[in-house]
């Protein structure tokens, strides 16, 4: 069992509120993808976040802490659940708005800016504590990751049998 935080304060409340609201938005939206793809797109965000934090917040680099301490606790795990709906929503609106051509670049830049802004808000609430990291680094990382996520999305969709909206 993962330990609970030493002190339950604003960052835990903020995280719980954001996780709850983001999943509520995902579940209230009309279904866009088959369930199997929806789960895959949700897991994509969580997996990328976990891998990134494993590299960047690991004891070797130790560029930032998640939540209150450098120790891994239950709320560190909960932060990964926050990335899933953002990954899903990124792909949901990309597909819904049928973004093509040069508009893809604008979509990537705006969504990256939005992700960086959201990270800044998380930092203000104490979800992240930077040690050697700077928020400006996050923009580049998010931009690269979102490009890869779009490539993955197109790869998956090319292999997906064409379905009607009724079969979703």
């Amino acid at each position: 069992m993962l330990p609970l935080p030493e002190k339950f304060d604003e960052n835990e409340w903020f995280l719980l509120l954001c996780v709850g609201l983001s999943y509520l938005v995902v579940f209230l939206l009309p279904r866009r993808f088959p369930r199997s793809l929806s789960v895959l797109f949700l897991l994509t965000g969580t997996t990328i976040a976990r891998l990134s934090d494993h590299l960047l917040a690991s004891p070797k680099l130790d560029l930032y802490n998640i939540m209150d301490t450098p120790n891994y606790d239950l709320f560190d795990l909960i932060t990964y659940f926050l990335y899933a709906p953002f990954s899903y929503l990124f792909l949901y609106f990309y597909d819904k708005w049928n973004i093509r051509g040069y508009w893809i670049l604008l979509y990537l830049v705006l969504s990256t800016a939005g992700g960086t802004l959201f990270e800044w808000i998380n930092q203000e609430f104490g979800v992240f504590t930077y040690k050697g990291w700077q928020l400006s680094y996050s923009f580049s990382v998010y931009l690269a990751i979102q490009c890869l996520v779009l490539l993955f999305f197109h790869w998956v969709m090319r292999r997906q049998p064409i379905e009607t909206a009724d079969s979703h």
Side-chain angles (χ1 to χ4, degrees):
M1 178 87 181
L2 288 172
L4 293 173
E6 295 171 2
K7 182 177 152 190
F8 199 92
D9 53 17
E10 71 179 3
N11 59 356
E12 285 85 10
W13 283 114
F14 176 76
L15 182 61
L16 290 174
L17 178 69
C18 288
V19 168
L21 287 176
S22 61
Y23 278 93
L24 181 65
V25 168
V26 167
F27 291 121
L28 290 178
L29 284 172
R31 192 177 322 174
R32 181 127 198 108
F33 309 112
R35 279 197 176 100
S36 59
L37 290 185
S38 294
V39 170
L40 179 64
F41 297 151
L42 286 163
L43 288 173
T44 300
T46 301
T47 302
I48 291 171
R50 182 67 182 111
L51 289 171
S52 300
D53 285 342
H54 182 70
L55 294 171
L56 299 172
S58 69
K60 284 188 177 182
L61 289 179
D62 200 22
L63 297 174
Y64 56 88
N65 287 340
I66 303 170
M67 301 308 282
D68 297 319
T69 69
N71 302 323
Y72 195 77
D73 68 28
L74 178 62
F75 277 80
D76 290 38
L77 175 67
I78 292 173
T79 61
Y80 299 122
F81 289 101
L82 188 56
Y83 290 91
F86 282 91
S87 173
Y88 178 83
L89 292 170
F90 171 72
L91 294 173
Y92 182 95
F93 289 110
Y94 174 81
D95 187 60
K96 180 174 177 57
W97 294 334
N98 196 29
I99 298 174
R100 300 291 178 260
Y102 293 109
W103 293 106
I104 295 171
L105 180 61
L106 180 63
Y107 186 72
L108 284 167
V109 169
L110 289 176
S111 60
T112 297
T116 306
L117 175 64
F118 187 68
E119 183 178 324
W120 175 76
I121 294 168
N122 275 270
Q123 180 192 3
E124 292 297 305
F125 276 93
V127 174
F128 300 111
T129 303
Y130 300 147
K131 297 192 253 183
W133 190 257
Q134 293 181 25
L135 187 62
S136 59
Y137 301 163
S138 296
F139 187 90
S140 301
V141 170
Y142 289 151
L143 186 60
I145 288 172
Q146 288 179 338
C147 287
L148 293 173
V149 167
L150 281 185
L151 288 172
F152 176 69
F153 173 77
H154 284 284
W155 182 81
V156 166
M157 296 307 282
R158 277 194 308 271
R159 280 146 185 80
Q160 179 66 19
I162 296 173
E163 298 184 28
T164 64
D166 295 336
S167 62
H168 291 250

